[in-house]
Amino acid sequence: MDYYKNIDKICELQPTGRPVKGVEYTFLTDLAVEPVTVEDFKIHAKIDYNTDDRLVTMYLKAAREHLEEVAQLSFGERTVRMTALSMVDNWKVMYGPVDTVTAPYAKFGKDIITNSGGTNVSIEYTTKWPTGLPMDIVVAICRYAASLYAFRESVVLSFDGKTIDPKQWLDESEKAVMKHGNISFI
């Protein structure tokens, strides 16, 4: 999972000759508080009634989870466990930004585990944005959720001879979070 994000580390074997194998990420806790409130979303989407609040809550969570997966980031405070059958000494973890590490032997610097390679590695860490979630991510969550809300089915609409594809709006939200994305390029 997520190997392409660390392709520079996978292709490079450490002096020990240890390859990366069996990397998995498990969310031990989910966000206690969604980064976008129903009230803020309703202002964004210009909704002035309460009948769809449960639906809006569901779309906000789905939008946040999808965009977290796209960017390989956590948009709030949660606990994550990274396990690996075999790990190199320097590895950029997914689902940061890392706030604290509960494994005493792991050292972090800018979401990179250092000197923690080996076999049967298990590291738990908590995530948190040091200065709060960037506003462009908040807006991207709102835009994605608004698209889910407005286009509840996978259909292409046509107004005045112009075609509107809901997927295009969803793609724009993904692009907005990727400037913060946890991706390494070769």
Side-chain angles (χ1 to χ4, degrees):
M1 175 179 179
D2 308 320
Y3 285 140
Y4 69 96
K5 309 276 171 128
N6 277 292
I7 195 71
D8 52 331
K9 302 297 181 212
I10 293 172
C11 295
E12 159 193 321
L13 294 179
Q14 296 295 308
T16 61
R18 202 173 35 243
V20 174
K21 291 183 183 175
V23 178
E24 290 186 354
Y25 292 88
T26 306
F27 296 143
L28 301 178
T29 61
D30 196 7
L31 275 59
V33 177
E34 288 294 327
V36 178
T37 66
V38 170
E39 292 75 25
D40 287 342
F41 173 77
K42 287 168 72 172
I43 292 168
H44 169 86
K46 299 180 181 176
I47 300 171
D48 58 3
Y49 48 88
N50 297 330
T51 55
D52 287 345
D53 282 3
R54 284 186 54 213
L55 185 63
V56 165
T57 301
M58 182 177 66
Y59 286 149
L60 282 170
K61 184 172 182 174
R64 189 253 312 157
E65 288 175 344
H66 174 75
L67 294 174
E68 282 180 325
E69 184 67 28
V70 167
Q72 299 291 288
L73 295 170
S74 178
F75 293 161
E77 295 182 37
R78 72 159 35 113
T79 303
V80 181
R81 178 184 299 133
M82 186 209 74
T83 57
L85 297 175
S86 178
M87 178 56 63
V88 295
D89 286 334
N90 298 302
W91 183 261
K92 184 172 177 119
V93 297
M94 304 293 107
Y95 303 107
V98 174
D99 182 45
T100 57
V101 181
T102 57
Y105 60 88
K107 295 180 183 173
F108 273 83
K110 197 126 176 152
D111 297 339
I112 297 176
I113 306 170
T114 59
N115 302 321
S116 62
T119 57
N120 298 319
V121 174
S122 180
I123 298 172
E124 288 183 19
Y125 55 94
T126 58
T127 63
K128 181 178 179 182
W129 288 80
T131 58
L133 193 63
M135 198 52 59
D136 55 345
I137 292 178
V138 171
V139 170
I141 293 169
C142 284
R143 290 181 72 190
Y144 199 93
S147 295
L148 294 174
Y149 181 78
F151 302 107
R152 297 176 194 174
E153 305 298 328
S154 298
V155 295
V156 177
L157 303 176
S158 178
F159 294 104
D160 299 330
K162 296 180 181 178
T163 301
I164 298 174
D165 183 359
K167 179 74 173 120
Q168 178 183 354
W169 292 2
L170 300 175
D171 290 345
E172 291 301 317
S173 298
E174 291 174 1
K175 289 177 192 173
V177 298
M178 285 313 296
K179 84 174 193 181
H180 302 281
N182 195 0
I183 296 182
S184 300
F185 293 102
I186 298 176

